[in-house]
């Protein structure tokens, strides 16, 4: 029966957080590496 | 050589940290049922924290003494990661699930801060475009490139998070609803501007064309914001502190300031890279003798 309440869904939560953290981490690392190259 | 005007980064950093501290303290007090309103409504408290944070971030971004700014930018990224981790931990494991959406509502703690800061980065890019056209100062062109790139990254992440949230709540990954469509247009428009910058070799043409394109593309930002009010949309309307439970404040604000710190640090670092490229392009060619000497 459709109760209007979403049940479960942890996998979606983990997917959203992992995607965000992963993308920001990779972009951050690329920035740090490029800036270090410039400073040196 | 681009001339850098000396301006202290300290006021920007202090304002940014004070804003975050104020936002966290009020949210924490609300969480534990303490009255720290001082006669100010919750909405106004949130607005004060947000405006102070934005002013601090913008002041920091336009204060350009390279050495200390780079160190401060790195520090800001680290501080942002700490805030984001703490806010995410609280949002995932401490905050209660929402009544109807259950656990998937926890995506809000990362989705909403990404949306706010993505639009903020693009708005800063719009300001940079306007200032460049008036002042023809290359610093603003570098800041434009940096803020658009970071804004596109956050807006793209916003679309992905939205799709992940849409599947369990709407039953579909994507719908051509006004909010989603205008956000997708935003991502592709600014991605196009980044592509334009990549392909135009003449620095002056590149700067002018991308500034004009940014001003035109920015028209979509208010449309994105008001789309849920103007048209019937699957996407919910903007929440306010009056409509959000106080138990949701803390993780939301921590992540909002976390992403704000990360975004500000990223823009500062990326604008340094963009400025280096412009400096190399504008530098006069070396005399032949010096070139040969360097080759030896």
């Amino acid at each position: 029966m459709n109760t209007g309440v979403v049940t479960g869904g942890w996998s979606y939560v983990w997917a959203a957080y992992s995607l965000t953290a992963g993308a920001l981490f990779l972009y951050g690392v690329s920035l740090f590496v490029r800036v270090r190259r410039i400073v040196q | 050589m681009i001339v850098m005007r000396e301006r202290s980064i300290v006021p920007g950093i202090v304002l940014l940290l004070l804003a975050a501290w104020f936002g966290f303290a009020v949210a924490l007090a609300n969480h534990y049922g303490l009255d720290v309103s001082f006669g100010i409504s919750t909405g106004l408290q949130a607005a004060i924290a947000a405006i102070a944070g934005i002013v601090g971030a913008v002041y920091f971004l336009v204060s350009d003494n390279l050495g200390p700014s780079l160190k401060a930018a790195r520090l800001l990224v680290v501080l942002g990661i700490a805030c984001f981790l703490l806010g995410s931990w609280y949002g995932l494991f401490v905050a209660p699930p929402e009544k109807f959406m259950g656990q998937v509502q926890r995506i809000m703690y990362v989705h909403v801060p990404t949306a706010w800061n993505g639009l903020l980065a693009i708005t800063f890019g719009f300001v940079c475009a306007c200032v460049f056209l008036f002042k023809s100062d290359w610093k603003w062109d570098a800041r434009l490139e940096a803020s658009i790139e970071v804004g596109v990254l956050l807006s793209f992440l916003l679309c992905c998070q939205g799709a992940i949230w849409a599947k369990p709540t709407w039953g579909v990954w994507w719908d051509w609803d006004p909010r989603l469509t205008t956000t997708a247009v935003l991502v592709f428009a600014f991605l196009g501007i980044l592509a334009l910058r990549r392909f135009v070799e003449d620095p002056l043409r590149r700067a002018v064309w991308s500034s004009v394109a940014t001003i035109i593309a920015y028209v979509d930002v208010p449309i994105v914001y008001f789309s849920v009010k103007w048209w019937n949309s699957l996407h919910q309307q903007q929440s306010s502190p009056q409509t959000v439970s106080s138990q949701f404040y803390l993780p939301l604000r921590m992540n909002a300031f976390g992403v704000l710190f990360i975004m500000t640090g990223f823009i500062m670092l990326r604008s340094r890279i963009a400025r280096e490229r412009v400096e190399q392009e504008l530098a006069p060619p070396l005399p032949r003798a010096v070139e040969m000497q360097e080759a030896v």
Side-chain angles (χ1 to χ4, degrees):
Chain A
M1 196 182 85
N2 190 351
T3 56
V5 177
V6 179
T7 51
W10 271 108
S11 56
Y12 294 102
V13 177
W14 287 119
Y17 276 82
S18 309
L19 178 80
T20 308
L24 290 178
F25 175 76
L26 289 177
Y27 184 70
V29 167
S30 85
L31 281 183
F32 274 83
V33 169
R34 284 186 284 169
V35 167
R36 175 168 282 195
R37 220 175 279 158
I38 287 171
V39 172
Q40 283 173 348
Chain B
M1 181 70 188
I2 296 169
V3 178
M4 246 67 73
R5 199 157 30 135
E6 287 291 322
R7 187 187 286 155
S8 172
I9 56 166
V10 175
I13 291 280
V14 169
L15 196 56
L16 202 51
L17 295 178
L18 274 178
W21 176 82
F22 176 73
F24 296 162
V26 170
L28 206 58
N30 279 325
H31 181 77
Y32 288 107
L34 299 171
D35 182 21
V36 289
S37 63
F38 306 113
I40 306 171
S41 70
T42 325
L44 192 60
Q45 289 171 359
I48 290 171
I51 291 169
I54 292 166
V55 171
V58 170
Y59 191 96
F60 175 67
L61 285 171
V62 298
S63 47
D64 262 335
N65 0 354
L66 285 181
S69 299
L70 280 182
K71 281 180 193 158
R74 290 186 187 118
L75 189 69
L76 212 53
V77 172
V78 172
L79 205 60
I81 291 169
C83 272
F84 184 73
L85 288 176
L86 206 61
S88 298
W89 167 77
Y90 196 97
L92 288 169
F93 304 114
V94 182
E98 203 262 346
K99 191 177 173 187
F100 297 108
M101 279 192 276
Q103 309 296 352
V104 290
Q105 173 271 337
R106 297 179 196 278
I107 296 174
M108 178 187 80
Y109 305 126
V110 70
H111 184 63
V112 174
T114 307
W116 287 341
N117 287 294
L119 292 184
L120 186 63
I122 286 173
T123 302
F124 183 67
F126 169 75
V127 173
C128 294
C130 295
V131 176
F132 178 80
L133 289 179
F134 279 104
K135 292 179 76 176
S136 298
D137 184 337
W138 290 102
K139 279 187 303 191
W140 292 97
D141 179 57
R143 287 172 188 152
L144 166 73
E145 183 174 311
S147 51
I148 296 297
E149 190 173 292
V150 175
V152 166
L153 173 72
L154 291 176
S155 305
F156 175 72
L157 281 175
L158 176 70
C159 289
C160 296
Q161 295 158 354
I164 293 170
W165 198 355
K167 182 63 180 163
T169 48
W170 298 346
V172 288
W173 293 103
W174 185 265
D175 186 81
W176 292 107
D177 131 292
R179 169 56 72 86
L180 276 65
T181 308
T182 51
T183 309
V185 168
L186 183 91
V187 172
F188 284 108
F190 284 97
L191 206 57
I193 293 170
L194 289 176
L196 174 81
R197 290 188 65 87
R198 179 71 63 170
F199 291 120
V200 179
E201 286 184 2
D202 179 33
L204 186 60
R205 277 190 187 161
R206 182 173 63 221
V208 173
W209 289 358
S210 56
S211 296
V212 173
T214 299
I215 291 168
I216 294 168
Y218 188 76
V219 172
D220 192 40
V221 171
I223 299 176
V224 169
Y225 184 80
F226 289 108
S227 57
V228 286
K229 293 180 192 284
W230 290 343
W231 298 293
N232 281 329
S233 179
L234 264 175
H235 195 285
Q236 69 159 78
Q237 289 207 4
Q238 289 91 351
S239 302
S240 70
Q242 283 82 22
T243 59
V244 174
S245 168
S246 64
Q247 290 173 310
F248 300 161
Y249 287 171
L250 197 59
L252 194 58
R253 281 192 196 166
M254 275 187 172
N255 278 359
F257 276 102
V259 180
L260 178 70
F261 288 174
I262 293 171
M263 179 202 78
T264 310
F266 278 3
I267 293 178
M268 179 60 89
L269 294 170
R270 182 63 183 82
S271 59
R272 180 71 185 89
I273 296 165
R275 194 156 51 212
E276 182 71 15
R277 178 189 173 192
V278 176
E279 272 186 2
Q280 283 177 0
E281 286 173 337
L282 295 178
L286 291 171
R288 186 86 186 129
V290 178
E291 261 181 47
M292 288 176 69
Q293 205 174 15
E294 282 192 352
V296 172

